Amino acid sequence: MASAPAPGICKGESIKREFEGLDQTDVRLIAELESNPRQPHTEIASRLGLSRDTVRARLERLLDARAVRIVGVADPMSVGFTTSVIMGINVRSDRLLAVADRLASLAPVQHLMLCMGRFDIMAYGLFQRRTDFLDFLVGHIGHMAGVLHIESMLTLRNTKIFGPLLSDGSGAHPGQSPVSALDALDFALMRELQTDATQNSRRLAQKLGTSQSTVLRKIQALQSAGVMRIAALANPAVLGYEGVASIGMKFDPARLDEGARVIGSCRNVQTVAVCAGRYDIIAWAMFRELEDLSNFLTVELGSVPGLQHLEAMTSLKIIKASHVYLGDDGAGSGPPAAEADGG
């Protein structure tokens, strides 16, 4: 990797040359996968000046160690989830871990972290209907001992989802093409890809009882429409990112879209959601050291057009982080039946 920051990194973000457990060839390989996860080994080898066998061996090692995963990431709203909610929760300190573990065990909760700041817990949930979210609040959170306060923020749209940490990040932005009706084969294919997108078209066709040409055509259509993208998700820890912050921001309404675009262009920002509620935008940002976070909040975000106010909740522990939205019935299942927490 060159000593100068790669294009697209926000001003002031430092890049460490030494990544724990990885050498520079590994880092270059991950960056290449982020830019095009399904490219053939021969093409990667040519780009990196390596042999095909070296690429294959290194990729197997990275995948086995979960330093990187190659998976399909679906756009929740495109696959039937009409209600995407970010929840900020305050909990009695003696019940914090119990409540967090209980919430993380529930199917609609995709992400959950313990944090410092306005909220003790930040959680992200997906629901097929708004009434499902109401049932979730009443039937689950309403019965959890120790919950003091909850604020829910409806996600209006995601402008960046699971952004890459090394490449330019263009594929992390949801597509804008109209989404046609999805059939059972589309959902079956996406369920396979969300678990393991390294499977080739022949294997996928055999599993799904269809042709390779149909598999390739459907993968292309799903990606073009922004329904799903194939992504190489690097483990932030092995790239030197030791912290996560959930940053809530209020904006001048006239500059909201511009602000979301600028924030999404920052390399260390993985996800950007435009919301209705306490915050207009919520972003999840990675940082290596507290100094990096301080610089990001004051220098980088301080120059974003239209930003009026921000609050940062820094992570103490990530309890759950999942990109797997699709269950056996396509759009996933709603929350399980209400059950009281006896604690």
Side-chain angles (χ1 to χ4, degrees), residues 72-81 84 107-111 124-128 158 160-162 187 190-191 194-195 227-229 233 271 321-334:
V73 178
D75 174 56
M77 294 183 184
S78 296
V79 295
F81 293 99
S84 170
V109 176
Q110 298 295 313
H111 302 272
Y124 170 64
L126 292 174
F127 305 88
Q128 288 180 254
N158 293 299
K160 188 176 187 180
I161 303 174
F162 291 114
F187 281 109
M190 287 190 287
R191 285 196 295 271
Q194 74 179 356
T195 302
V227 176
M228 171 173 273
R229 86 179 204 277
L233 304 183
T271 299
S322 174
H323 66 276
V324 177
Y325 309 144
L326 298 169
D328 291 339
D329 59 348
S333 56

Coordinates of all heavy atoms in Angstrom, one line a residue, residues 72-81 84 107-111 124-128 158 160-162 187 190-191 194-195 227-229 233 271 321-334:
G72 N -23.9 -12.0 0.3 CA -24.9 -11.1 -0.3 C -25.6 -10.3 0.8 O -25.9 -10.8 1.8
V73 N -25.6 -9.0 0.5 CA -26.3 -8.0 1.5 C -27.5 -7.5 0.8 O -27.4 -6.8 -0.2 CB -25.3 -6.9 1.9 CG1 -26.0 -5.9 2.8 CG2 -24.1 -7.4 2.5
A74 N -28.7 -7.8 1.3 CA -29.9 -7.4 0.8 C -30.3 -6.0 1.3 O -30.0 -5.6 2.4 CB -31.0 -8.4 1.1
D75 N -31.0 -5.2 0.4 CA -31.6 -4.0 0.9 C -32.9 -4.3 1.6 O -33.8 -4.9 0.9 CB -31.9 -3.1 -0.3 CG -32.6 -1.8 0.1 OD1 -32.2 -1.1 1.0 OD2 -33.8 -1.6 -0.4
P76 N -33.0 -4.1 2.9 CA -34.2 -4.6 3.6 C -35.6 -4.2 3.0 O -36.5 -5.0 2.9 CB -34.0 -3.9 5.0 CG -32.6 -3.7 5.1 CD -32.1 -3.3 3.8
M77 N -35.7 -2.9 2.6 CA -37.0 -2.5 2.1 C -37.3 -3.1 0.7 O -38.5 -3.3 0.4 CB -37.0 -0.9 1.9 CG -36.9 -0.2 3.3 SD -36.9 1.6 3.2 CE -36.7 2.0 4.9
S78 N -36.3 -3.5 0.0 CA -36.6 -4.2 -1.3 C -37.0 -5.6 -1.2 O -37.6 -6.2 -2.1 CB -35.3 -4.2 -2.2 OG -34.9 -2.8 -2.5
V79 N -36.8 -6.2 0.0 CA -37.2 -7.6 0.2 C -38.3 -7.8 1.2 O -38.5 -8.9 1.7 CB -35.9 -8.5 0.6 CG1 -34.9 -8.5 -0.5 CG2 -35.3 -8.0 1.9
G80 N -39.1 -6.8 1.4 CA -40.3 -6.9 2.1 C -40.4 -6.3 3.5 O -41.4 -6.5 4.2
F81 N -39.3 -5.7 4.0 CA -39.4 -5.1 5.3 C -39.8 -3.7 5.2 O -39.0 -2.8 4.7 CB -38.0 -5.2 6.0 CG -37.6 -6.6 6.4 CD1 -36.7 -7.3 5.5 CD2 -38.1 -7.2 7.5 CE1 -36.3 -8.6 5.9 CE2 -37.7 -8.5 7.8 CZ -36.9 -9.2 7.0
S84 N -38.1 -0.2 9.2 CA -36.7 -0.3 9.7 C -36.6 0.7 10.8 O -36.7 1.9 10.5 CB -35.8 -0.1 8.5 OG -34.5 0.0 9.0
A107 N -35.4 -12.3 16.8 CA -35.1 -12.3 15.4 C -35.1 -10.9 14.7 O -34.3 -10.7 13.8 CB -36.1 -13.2 14.7
P108 N -36.0 -10.0 15.0 CA -36.0 -8.7 14.3 C -34.8 -7.9 14.6 O -34.5 -7.0 13.8 CB -37.3 -8.0 14.8 CG -38.1 -9.1 15.4 CD -37.2 -10.2 15.9
V109 N -34.1 -8.1 15.7 CA -33.0 -7.2 16.0 C -31.7 -7.7 15.2 O -31.3 -8.8 15.4 CB -32.7 -7.3 17.5 CG1 -31.4 -6.5 17.8 CG2 -33.9 -6.7 18.3
Q110 N -31.2 -6.9 14.4 CA -30.1 -7.2 13.5 C -28.8 -6.7 14.1 O -27.7 -7.4 13.9 CB -30.3 -6.6 12.1 CG -31.5 -7.1 11.4 CD -31.4 -8.6 11.1 OE1 -30.4 -9.0 10.6 NE2 -32.5 -9.3 11.4
H111 N -28.8 -5.6 14.7 CA -27.6 -5.0 15.3 C -27.9 -4.5 16.7 O -28.9 -3.9 16.9 CB -27.0 -3.9 14.4 CG -26.7 -4.3 13.0 ND1 -25.5 -4.8 12.6 CD2 -27.5 -4.3 11.9 CE1 -25.6 -5.1 11.4 NE2 -26.7 -4.8 10.9
Y124 N -30.9 -1.9 16.1 CA -31.5 -1.8 14.8 C -32.4 -3.0 14.5 O -31.9 -4.1 14.6 CB -30.4 -1.6 13.8 CG -30.8 -1.7 12.3 CD1 -31.6 -0.7 11.8 CD2 -30.4 -2.7 11.5 CE1 -32.0 -0.7 10.5 CE2 -30.8 -2.7 10.1 CZ -31.6 -1.7 9.7 OH -32.0 -1.8 8.3
G125 N -33.6 -2.7 14.2 CA -34.6 -3.8 14.0 C -35.3 -3.7 12.6 O -35.5 -2.6 12.1
L126 N -35.7 -4.9 12.1 CA -36.4 -4.9 10.8 C -37.7 -5.6 11.0 O -37.8 -6.7 11.7 CB -35.6 -5.7 9.8 CG -34.3 -5.1 9.3 CD1 -33.6 -6.0 8.4 CD2 -34.6 -3.7 8.6
F127 N -38.8 -5.0 10.5 CA -40.1 -5.5 10.7 C -40.9 -5.4 9.3 O -40.8 -4.5 8.6 CB -40.9 -4.7 11.7 CG -40.2 -4.6 13.0 CD1 -39.2 -3.6 13.2 CD2 -40.4 -5.5 14.0 CE1 -38.5 -3.5 14.4 CE2 -39.7 -5.5 15.2 CZ -38.8 -4.5 15.4
Q128 N -41.7 -6.5 9.1 CA -42.5 -6.5 7.8 C -43.6 -5.5 7.8 O -43.9 -4.9 6.8 CB -43.0 -7.9 7.6 CG -41.9 -8.9 7.2 CD -42.5 -10.3 7.0 OE1 -42.4 -11.2 7.8 NE2 -43.2 -10.5 5.8
N158 N -31.8 4.2 3.5 CA -30.3 4.0 3.7 C -29.6 4.5 2.5 O -29.9 4.2 1.4 CB -30.0 2.5 3.9 CG -30.6 1.9 5.1 OD1 -30.3 2.3 6.2 ND2 -31.5 0.9 5.0
K160 N -26.2 4.4 2.6 CA -24.9 3.6 2.5 C -25.2 2.4 3.5 O -25.7 2.6 4.6 CB -23.7 4.4 3.0 CG -22.4 3.7 2.8 CD -21.2 4.6 3.2 CE -19.9 4.0 2.8 NZ -18.8 4.9 3.2
I161 N -24.8 1.2 3.0 CA -25.0 0.0 3.9 C -23.7 -0.8 3.8 O -23.2 -1.2 2.8 CB -26.2 -0.9 3.3 CG1 -27.5 -0.1 3.3 CG2 -26.3 -2.1 4.2 CD1 -28.6 -0.8 2.6
F162 N -23.1 -1.1 5.0 CA -21.9 -1.9 5.1 C -20.8 -1.4 4.1 O -20.4 -2.2 3.3 CB -22.2 -3.4 4.9 CG -23.1 -4.0 6.0 CD1 -24.3 -4.4 5.7 CD2 -22.5 -4.1 7.2 CE1 -25.1 -5.0 6.7 CE2 -23.3 -4.7 8.2 CZ -24.6 -5.1 8.0
F187 N -35.7 -15.2 -4.0 CA -35.5 -15.3 -2.6 C -34.6 -16.5 -2.2 O -33.7 -16.4 -1.3 CB -36.8 -15.4 -1.8 CG -37.5 -14.1 -1.7 CD1 -38.6 -13.8 -2.4 CD2 -37.0 -13.1 -0.8 CE1 -39.3 -12.5 -2.3 CE2 -37.7 -11.9 -0.7 CZ -38.8 -11.6 -1.4
M190 N -31.1 -15.4 -3.0 CA -30.5 -14.5 -2.0 C -30.2 -15.1 -0.7 O -29.3 -14.7 0.0 CB -31.5 -13.3 -1.8 CG -31.6 -12.4 -3.0 SD -32.5 -10.9 -2.7 CE -34.2 -11.5 -2.8
R191 N -31.1 -16.1 -0.3 CA -30.8 -16.8 1.0 C -29.4 -17.6 0.9 O -28.7 -17.6 1.9 CB -31.9 -17.8 1.3 CG -33.2 -17.1 1.8 CD -34.1 -18.1 2.5 NE -34.6 -19.1 1.6 CZ -35.7 -18.9 0.9 NH1 -36.4 -17.8 1.0 NH2 -36.1 -19.9 0.1
Q194 N -26.6 -14.7 0.9 CA -26.3 -14.0 2.1 C -25.5 -14.8 3.1 O -24.9 -14.3 4.0 CB -27.7 -13.6 2.8 CG -28.4 -14.7 3.4 CD -29.7 -14.3 4.1 OE1 -30.0 -13.1 4.2 NE2 -30.5 -15.3 4.6
T195 N -25.5 -16.1 2.9 CA -24.7 -17.0 3.8 C -23.3 -17.2 3.2 O -22.3 -17.2 3.9 CB -25.3 -18.4 3.9 OG1 -26.6 -18.2 4.5 CG2 -24.5 -19.3 4.8
V227 N -31.4 -4.5 -5.1 CA -32.1 -5.4 -4.2 C -31.1 -6.1 -3.3 O -31.2 -6.3 -2.1 CB -33.0 -6.4 -4.9 CG1 -33.6 -7.4 -3.9 CG2 -34.0 -5.8 -5.7
M228 N -30.0 -6.5 -3.9 CA -28.9 -7.2 -3.2 C -27.6 -6.8 -3.9 O -27.5 -6.6 -5.1 CB -29.1 -8.7 -3.2 CG -27.9 -9.5 -2.6 SD -28.2 -11.2 -2.4 CE -28.9 -11.3 -0.7
R229 N -26.5 -6.7 -3.0 CA -25.2 -6.6 -3.6 C -24.3 -7.6 -3.0 O -24.5 -8.1 -1.9 CB -24.6 -5.2 -3.4 CG -23.9 -4.9 -2.1 CD -23.4 -3.5 -2.0 NE -22.3 -3.4 -1.1 CZ -22.4 -3.3 0.2 NH1 -23.6 -3.2 0.8 NH2 -21.3 -3.2 1.0
L233 N -17.0 -8.2 3.3 CA -17.1 -7.6 4.5 C -15.9 -7.9 5.3 O -15.7 -9.0 5.9 CB -18.4 -8.0 5.3 CG -19.7 -7.8 4.6 CD1 -20.9 -8.2 5.5 CD2 -19.9 -6.3 4.1
T271 N -22.2 2.8 7.5 CA -23.7 2.9 7.2 C -24.2 4.3 7.5 O -23.8 4.9 8.5 CB -24.4 1.8 8.1 OG1 -23.9 0.5 7.8 CG2 -25.9 1.9 7.8
A321 N -24.3 -8.3 15.4 CA -24.1 -7.6 14.1 C -24.4 -8.7 13.0 O -23.6 -9.6 12.8 CB -22.7 -7.1 14.0
S322 N -25.5 -8.5 12.4 CA -25.9 -9.5 11.4 C -26.3 -8.8 10.1 O -26.9 -7.7 10.1 CB -27.1 -10.3 11.9 OG -27.6 -11.2 10.9
H323 N -26.0 -9.4 8.9 CA -26.5 -9.0 7.6 C -27.5 -9.9 7.1 O -28.0 -9.8 5.9 CB -25.3 -8.9 6.7 CG -24.7 -10.2 6.4 ND1 -23.8 -10.8 7.2 CD2 -24.9 -11.1 5.3 CE1 -23.4 -12.0 6.7 NE2 -24.2 -12.2 5.6
V324 N -27.9 -11.0 7.8 CA -28.8 -12.0 7.3 C -30.2 -11.6 7.7 O -30.7 -11.7 8.8 CB -28.4 -13.4 8.0 CG1 -29.4 -14.4 7.5 CG2 -27.0 -13.7 7.6
Y325 N -30.9 -11.1 6.7 CA -32.3 -10.7 6.9 C -33.3 -11.7 6.5 O -34.5 -11.7 6.9 CB -32.6 -9.4 6.0 CG -31.6 -8.3 6.2 CD1 -31.2 -7.5 5.1 CD2 -31.0 -8.0 7.4 CE1 -30.3 -6.5 5.2 CE2 -30.0 -7.0 7.5 CZ -29.7 -6.2 6.4 OH -28.8 -5.2 6.5
L326 N -33.0 -12.6 5.5 CA -34.0 -13.4 4.9 C -34.1 -14.8 5.6 O -33.1 -15.5 5.7 CB -33.6 -13.6 3.4 CG -33.5 -12.4 2.6 CD1 -32.9 -12.7 1.2 CD2 -34.9 -11.8 2.4
G327 N -35.3 -15.1 6.0 CA -35.6 -16.4 6.5 C -36.2 -17.3 5.4 O -36.2 -16.9 4.3
D328 N -36.7 -18.4 5.8 CA -37.2 -19.4 4.9 C -38.4 -19.0 4.1 O -38.7 -19.5 3.1 CB -37.4 -20.8 5.6 CG -36.1 -21.4 6.0 OD1 -35.1 -21.1 5.5 OD2 -36.2 -22.3 6.9
D329 N -39.1 -18.0 4.7 CA -40.3 -17.5 4.0 C -40.1 -16.3 3.2 O -41.0 -15.5 2.9 CB -41.4 -17.3 5.1 CG -41.0 -16.2 6.1 OD1 -39.8 -15.9 6.2 OD2 -41.9 -15.8 6.9
G330 N -38.8 -16.0 2.9 CA -38.6 -14.8 2.0 C -38.2 -13.6 2.8 O -37.0 -13.3 3.0
A331 N -39.2 -12.9 3.3 CA -38.9 -11.6 4.0 C -38.6 -11.8 5.4 O -38.4 -10.8 6.2 CB -40.1 -10.7 3.9
G332 N -38.4 -13.0 5.9 CA -38.1 -13.2 7.3 C -39.3 -13.3 8.2 O -40.4 -13.1 7.7
S333 N -39.2 -13.7 9.4 CA -40.3 -13.8 10.3 C -40.4 -12.7 11.2 O -39.5 -12.0 11.5 CB -40.2 -15.1 11.1 OG -38.9 -15.1 11.8
G334 N -41.6 -12.4 11.7 CA -41.9 -11.4 12.6 C -41.4 -11.8 14.0 O -40.8 -12.9 14.2

